[in-house]
Amino acid sequence: MKQKPKMILFDYGGTLLCEPDWDMLRGECALFKHVVANPHHFTPEQLCSWEKDYFQSLQPVRDLGAEPTEIQMLRLKYELHGIKLDIPYEEAEFIFWDHTAPMTEKCLYPHIRELLHYLHDNNIRTGVISNIGWTGSALRRRIDTLLPNHHFEFILASSDYGLRKPDERLFRVALEKAELKPEEVWFCGDTYDKDIEGARTAGIMAVLYQGQADGDILRQHVQKGTEWDTPIIADWAALIEILNMK
């Protein structure tokens, strides 16, 4: 493994935090309290089903590397069905996410707070690059709430840039913001094709976090005959141990 990094970047979902109690219908019902016009009498259940189907239809676009935003989906969903809200879509996004995936202690992976404190105390800078449809402002709000003492220098949401990892341009944006060379940075993520391959394409040292991810990912690559040289972290305390050996 390379020398101790000057900065470690993190993926969000499945890496930094998780969302174990996901329920879009709960989010839809919360937003329906702000409906001031519903001429066709749609129900929260119908609108929730519509968004799930619409999101699924966007998968080919996302597979090509594009990132539609949740605000775009909310706007299309409500205006297409003649529904009006008494709040702006930016606020609607917050309410929808807060109720779809409540922010509780269950969202925290073991030892993530200790790791972030360790990195700060040891002058290792941090940041976030996330493939996510929620806006960067919504993502920062969530991270600020669940990890109030973090020191992330920037939080990059793919939706703000219109493209997704593994597109190396997202990693290059982070390098420009940090004013660092690729060899001075590590990236931690939970998916091989998006996080690990993307970081490595940009010349960044990658670490696979497997906290709640598919435990068979290494075996799958071995079966395919793929060379595996990416460190695997099952617990964030293990990364502290690795860094202490540098």
Side-chain angles (χ1 to χ4, degrees):
M1 193 178 284
K2 299 181 180 180
Q3 63 183 5
K4 183 178 290 188
K6 293 183 179 179
M7 186 174 205
I8 296 182
L9 302 171
F10 294 87
D11 173 45
Y12 163 69
T15 302
L16 195 62
L17 297 166
C18 59
E19 298 177 349
D21 297 322
W22 183 273
D23 185 347
M24 281 183 61
L25 180 57
R26 187 169 54 224
E28 197 70 64
C29 289
L31 273 186
F32 253 64
K33 296 177 182 178
H34 295 275
V35 169
V36 293
N38 184 6
H40 306 297
H41 308 292
F42 286 103
T43 66
E45 289 79 7
Q46 289 173 316
L47 272 293
C48 183
S49 178
W50 181 92
E51 180 165 348
K52 288 179 179 179
D53 290 342
Y54 177 62
F55 183 78
Q56 187 62 38
S57 75
L58 294 175
Q59 193 58 50
V61 175
R62 299 176 77 245
D63 287 342
L64 290 174
E67 186 71 275
T69 71
E70 180 61 35
I71 284 184
Q72 289 172 332
M73 284 190 277
L74 289 174
R75 180 176 286 111
L76 178 61
K77 176 174 62 175
Y78 291 126
E79 295 181 14
L80 180 64
H81 295 89
I83 294 174
K84 295 181 180 180
L85 303 175
D86 63 1
I87 54 175
Y89 286 110
E90 290 78 10
E91 184 178 349
E93 179 189 34
F94 292 161
I95 293 172
F96 189 55
W97 197 3
D98 287 351
H99 288 81
T100 294
M103 291 184 280
T104 68
E105 285 292 309
K106 290 191 292 183
C107 297
L108 300 175
Y109 283 117
H111 305 295
I112 187 59
R113 284 178 173 149
E114 292 92 326
L115 172 63
L116 296 178
H117 290 158
Y118 171 89
L119 296 177
H120 180 64
D121 290 343
N122 286 271
N123 299 313
I124 299 175
R125 300 156 61 190
T126 54
V128 176
I129 309 176
S130 175
N131 274 1
I132 199 163
W134 308 103
T135 59
S137 59
L139 178 58
R140 174 170 284 280
R141 174 177 174 269
R142 176 162 286 249
I143 291 175
D144 287 349
T145 300
L146 290 167
L147 295 170
N149 297 315
H150 75 76
H151 296 276
F152 297 127
E153 294 183 15
F154 50 79
I155 295 173
L156 305 185
S158 58
S159 60
D160 287 348
Y161 295 87
L163 49 81
R164 294 167 52 78
K165 295 175 291 184
D167 195 310
E168 66 177 295
R169 287 172 289 190
L170 282 176
F171 296 93
R172 288 179 182 174
V173 168
L175 292 173
E176 287 293 330
K177 287 181 175 292
E179 298 183 343
L180 291 173
K181 299 175 182 178
E183 60 268 23
E184 297 174 315
V185 178
W186 291 6
F187 182 83
C188 298
D190 69 310
T191 63
Y192 188 84
D193 58 337
K194 303 298 190 300
D195 296 321
I196 305 307
E197 290 187 346
R200 291 170 63 176
T201 299
I204 294 172
M205 164 76 181
V207 177
L208 179 68
Y209 176 69
Q210 265 202 292
Q212 294 182 2
D214 182 2
D216 292 332
I217 188 170
L218 176 57
R219 177 180 56 79
Q220 291 168 0
H221 278 77
V222 171
Q223 287 178 344
K224 293 177 182 177
T226 306
E227 182 180 355
W228 185 275
D229 58 0
T230 299
I232 299 176
I233 300 298
D235 185 295
W236 286 123
L239 186 57
I240 294 176
E241 293 178 5
I242 289 173
L243 292 167
N244 278 332
M245 293 188 291
K246 294 294 181 180

